[in-house]
Amino acid sequence: MSGWGRALGTSARVWVPVAAAVTAAQVLLVVGDPMPAASPGFVAAALASGAVFAIGLWLVSRALTLAIAGEPVRWRSVLTAHPALVWAIVVVVLLVLLGLLSPYLTVVGLWFGLLVMPAASDGASNPLPAAGHTIRRQPTRAILAAVVVAVVWALGALGMLLLGFFVTGPLSAALTWIALTVLGTVVLAVWTDLYARARVTR
């Protein structure tokens, strides 16, 4: 089994409940079908949604990093204060800003997040140089992984569009978020493994 595949299995005790919790929280935030507006309630729900997403990204990324490094994946290790949380917030804010400019630009935010989160979760206070190192040391794998991300993003967007025609309300949100969290975890595991391979070739 590949390194990222083993990491998914080893870290399942963390990412599975995190995916379930993120999905449940996001569903609760759309109960009542809130309409986009500048009202305090909608703004609070949007901020809560982003915060939940960032926390989930931080926890899953830390768990995957520990697993790929061959370290025990325990909740007390994952939950310790870590710069990865700050970078998870940066990634979520960037995704929101890019999404406001154009939904198509969110794939750029995904590439950025997948590059910096493994390095941030590994303890780098500034993961940007480490992200560049990953591309320099593993250019072919990085390009292929980036293409796969773009394809998954496109298929996911199409899937959510089709889902919206047949399923609506909280059930639609639940199916969307469980798909996003599971697929996102798999993709992040691949990029975390890529980062680890690049470090070995230093």
Side-chain angles (χ1 to χ4, degrees):
M1 185 183 291
S2 60
W4 61 266
R6 288 192 298 270
L8 284 171
T10 304
S11 62
R13 70 184 67 182
V14 171
W15 74 259
V16 170
V18 168
V22 168
T23 298
Q26 299 292 354
V27 170
L28 289 174
L29 288 170
V30 299
V31 170
D33 195 22
M35 297 298 294
S39 66
F42 179 80
V43 172
L47 290 175
S49 176
V52 168
F53 186 17
I55 292 171
L57 177 59
W58 160 53
L59 295 175
V60 170
S61 185
R62 280 290 293 146
L64 290 172
T65 297
L66 291 172
I68 286 181
E71 300 179 24
V73 182
R74 300 190 178 98
W75 276 102
R76 64 183 180 183
S77 300
V78 173
L79 287 169
T80 53
H82 202 277
L85 176 57
V86 175
W87 281 95
I89 295 171
V90 170
V91 169
V92 171
V93 171
L94 178 63
L95 285 170
V96 171
L97 293 177
L98 290 173
L100 291 174
L101 292 174
S102 170
Y104 301 106
L105 290 177
T106 55
V107 70
V108 177
L110 291 176
W111 286 332
F112 175 82
L114 291 167
L115 274 170
V116 302
M117 285 309 299
S121 296
D122 194 37
S125 58
N126 183 4
L128 297 178
H133 175 82
T134 300
I135 297 174
R136 289 192 302 271
R137 291 293 184 177
Q138 299 283 337
T140 303
R141 290 176 181 269
I143 291 172
L144 288 175
V147 171
V148 170
V149 169
V151 171
V152 170
W153 174 89
L155 292 176
L158 179 60
M160 286 187 286
L161 180 63
L162 293 175
L163 179 65
F165 285 115
F166 302 104
V167 184
T168 58
L171 179 57
S172 177
L175 293 175
T176 298
W177 276 100
I178 200 64
L180 286 174
T181 52
V182 172
L183 285 175
T185 299
V186 173
V187 173
L188 183 56
V190 172
W191 282 78
T192 304
D193 182 54
L194 183 65
Y195 165 78
R197 289 174 183 269
R199 287 196 63 193
V200 171
T201 59
R202 284 184 178 180

